Amino acid sequence: MSNTRKPALGFIFVTLLLDVMGFGIIIPIVPKFISQLIGSGLSNASLYSGWLMFSFSIMQFLFSPVLGSLSDRYGRRPVLLTSLFGFGINYLIIAFAPTIGWLFVGRLLAGIMGASFTTASAYIADISTPEKRAQNFGLIGAAFGLGFIIGPVMGGILSQYGLRVPFFVAAALTFINWMYGYFVLPESLHKRNRRRFDIKRANPVGSLLQLRKYPVITGMIASLICVYIAGFATQSTWTFFTMEAFHWNEALVGYSLGLVGLLMAVVQGGLVRIVNPWLGPVKSIYVGLAFYCIGLVMIAFAPQGWMLFPIMIPFSLGGIANPAVQGIISNEVPANEQGELQGALTSLMSVTSIIGPILMTGLFSYFTGKHAPVYFPGAPFMMGALLVVTSALLAKGTLSSLKHKAQPVAEPHNLKNVKTEVEEEILA
């Protein structure tokens, strides 16, 4: 197993990279694409965007635990390939969509099939030793970051040839990804670690209830919810915010997201491997949340568009916390329940995804609309900062009880004695 661990990590990294590139390509053109379909401005288009994310999330909430449990029964590879194929069909439906209703059809399908990151997380857990899981989970952030370096920039450039072109390219990348996985990606879950499929454990409510078995996770649920919802300040409104407040075009939006992706890759793919062992998981979480909050506040009140680029540095440093949290949560669970755990966490993210986009796009629409008491397009980011502060306060009790176990060390192998808390794309 040790001889195949590095190649397998390479396979899953490339798979995730291509998946994120396909998603990133379409982001810069979504506001104008929706505006074109509904015949209205950015303020109204943001509301439709929120409901599109809602439709995706409600399906993901219902089906992610099913796919997670199926991956525990039949293996990660077939579930991952099915998910990728479904995403490819989703992009084609949107590319040909004649009305806004077809966008909802595409997002519903994507939500049903949206288990790529869930299964990838379980895949990494399968092939990682406990002391290496935090570092290997950082590859998810690195793939996400690199995908966002390339994808949005490509989307901004491709939009010059038509608003639908990026969707066709995203579909092509996703099907290439599927073929790559079909011919190259090996199975990671040994048959001896597989478990019987139980529909009672695969339903979304049952999946969430399974989290009660793990005290660390249960104690951090409220904190996780706040962090997840805060993330939708950027996920739901960044393109609308920059176009409304600073009149950016698709290309500039793509470049800004490309910079965010680069910083994410540096932080989660490299910096975390130094900072996490040095600070220890508890301090890493506090430091990460502090940077995250500072970044959100600075974005909310930025008076000029160019300022967003240096602000992205403290904002991206918020990613210090995520890989350590994922690794410790994963270490609480036996090998034959990793898929169920990741499915449950995805279901939890989906619950917040039902709330987050509606909340953040609603705030943006309200504070940029005709009847706003004050014009404040940065309102979603300020709300995000308040939620991060709330998350830190809620986490304080649980983290304090674990702090005596956490030893800031110079050697990564000591991390295996540490247990801690919480997560982030959907991300994502």
Side-chain angles (χ1 to χ4, degrees):
M1 187 67 179
S2 61
N3 293 330
T4 62
R5 185 168 289 127
K6 287 186 178 179
L9 281 173
F11 296 154
I12 204 68
F13 177 81
V14 173
T15 297
L16 289 174
L17 176 62
L18 291 174
D19 195 18
V20 175
M21 281 177 59
F23 176 73
I25 282 175
I26 69 172
I27 291 178
I29 52 90
V30 166
K32 288 190 177 179
F33 186 57
I34 295 176
S35 295
Q36 186 182 84
L37 289 176
I38 66 174
S40 186
L42 290 176
S43 185
N44 287 333
S46 67
L47 291 176
Y48 279 90
S49 177
W51 284 108
L52 283 167
M53 295 184 73
F54 171 89
S55 62
F56 171 86
S57 299
I58 196 73
M59 290 296 102
Q60 190 176 59
F61 171 71
L62 294 173
F63 287 92
S64 283
V66 175
L67 295 177
S69 291
L70 285 173
S71 78
D72 282 339
R73 174 64 182 89
Y74 298 104
R76 317 303 184 198
R77 185 174 180 273
V79 174
L80 184 59
L81 292 177
T82 302
S83 173
L84 292 175
F85 192 82
F87 264 107
I89 298 298
N90 153 66
Y91 290 132
L92 287 178
I93 290 174
I94 295 176
F96 288 107
T99 63
I100 190 69
W102 281 100
L103 265 65
F104 283 94
V105 173
R107 298 314 291 159
L108 288 169
L109 175 63
I112 293 172
M113 308 303 293
S116 56
F117 273 83
T118 298
T119 311
S121 298
Y123 192 108
I124 289 173
D126 292 338
I127 63 175
S128 302
T129 58
E131 63 270 20
K132 290 290 184 181
R133 277 180 178 161
Q135 296 180 18
N136 290 340
F137 273 125
L139 289 175
I140 296 178
F144 195 88
L146 288 174
F148 262 72
I149 295 171
I150 304 169
V153 174
M154 286 181 62
I157 295 172
L158 290 170
S159 66
Q160 300 175 27
Y161 302 98
L163 291 178
R164 296 176 186 265
V165 171
F167 291 102
F168 287 109
V169 176
L173 280 174
T174 305
F175 286 124
I176 290 171
N177 193 0
W178 179 85
M179 292 180 64
Y180 173 83
Y182 183 82
F183 289 106
V184 178
L185 190 69
E187 179 55 63
S188 65
L189 185 64
H190 289 296
K191 290 186 177 180
R192 66 175 178 269
N193 288 330
R194 299 184 185 184
R195 65 175 178 84
R196 183 176 62 87
F197 178 79
D198 185 353
I199 191 62
K200 292 181 180 179
R201 296 174 68 176
N203 71 80
V205 176
S207 179
L208 287 173
L209 292 176
Q210 292 298 315
L211 295 174
R212 296 183 304 176
K213 297 191 300 184
Y214 317 114
V216 172
I217 300 174
T218 302
M220 298 306 301
I221 289 297
S223 180
L224 278 169
I225 290 173
C226 290
V227 171
Y228 289 159
I229 295 176
F232 285 99
T234 48
Q235 294 176 39
S236 302
T237 67
W238 178 262
T239 50
F240 293 94
F241 168 71
T242 53
M243 288 181 175
E244 172 70 23
F246 307 115
H247 307 291
W248 285 8
N249 58 24
E250 292 86 349
L252 193 52
V253 170
Y255 296 145
S256 70
L257 292 172
L259 177 60
V260 171
L262 176 61
L263 293 171
M264 287 175 62
V266 171
V267 171
Q268 297 197 30
L271 186 61
V272 70
R273 295 173 179 264
I274 301 171
V275 172
N276 187 283
W278 177 48
L279 291 178
V282 174
K283 288 185 178 179
S284 293
I285 291 169
Y286 283 132
V287 170
L289 290 178
F291 275 121
Y292 192 24
C293 182
I294 292 169
L296 287 167
V297 172
M298 293 176 74
I299 291 171
F301 291 101
Q304 298 183 42
W306 67 266
M307 294 180 178
L308 295 180
F309 288 92
I311 289 172
M312 291 173 190
I313 296 175
F315 176 79
S316 298
L317 287 172
I320 289 172
N322 295 344
V325 168
Q326 284 186 318
I328 292 164
I329 290 176
S330 178
N331 288 343
E332 293 289 312
V333 180
N336 65 350
E337 295 183 9
Q338 289 293 330
E340 181 182 54
L341 168 66
Q342 300 301 332
L345 291 177
T346 302
S347 291
L348 181 63
M349 291 177 65
S350 297
V351 171
T352 61
S353 299
I354 295 169
I355 302 169
I358 302 299
L359 171 63
M360 297 304 180
T361 57
L363 283 170
F364 176 84
S365 180
Y366 179 72
F367 281 99
T368 57
K370 296 179 180 179
H371 304 292
V374 59
Y375 180 76
F376 185 33
F381 299 94
M382 197 62 208
M383 174 61 75
L386 293 174
L387 286 168
V388 171
V389 171
T390 303
S391 173
L393 294 175
L394 290 170
K396 191 174 185 297
T398 301
L399 291 176
S400 296
S401 67
L402 296 173
K403 193 172 183 180
H404 70 280
K405 298 181 182 179
Q407 303 174 12
V409 295
E411 297 179 338
H413 72 270
N414 287 339
L415 285 175
K416 64 185 179 182
N417 295 320
V418 180
K419 288 183 172 147
T420 240
E421 72 121 340
V422 35
E423 191 222 348
E424 217 191 272
E425 174 40 2
I426 171 262
L427 192 6

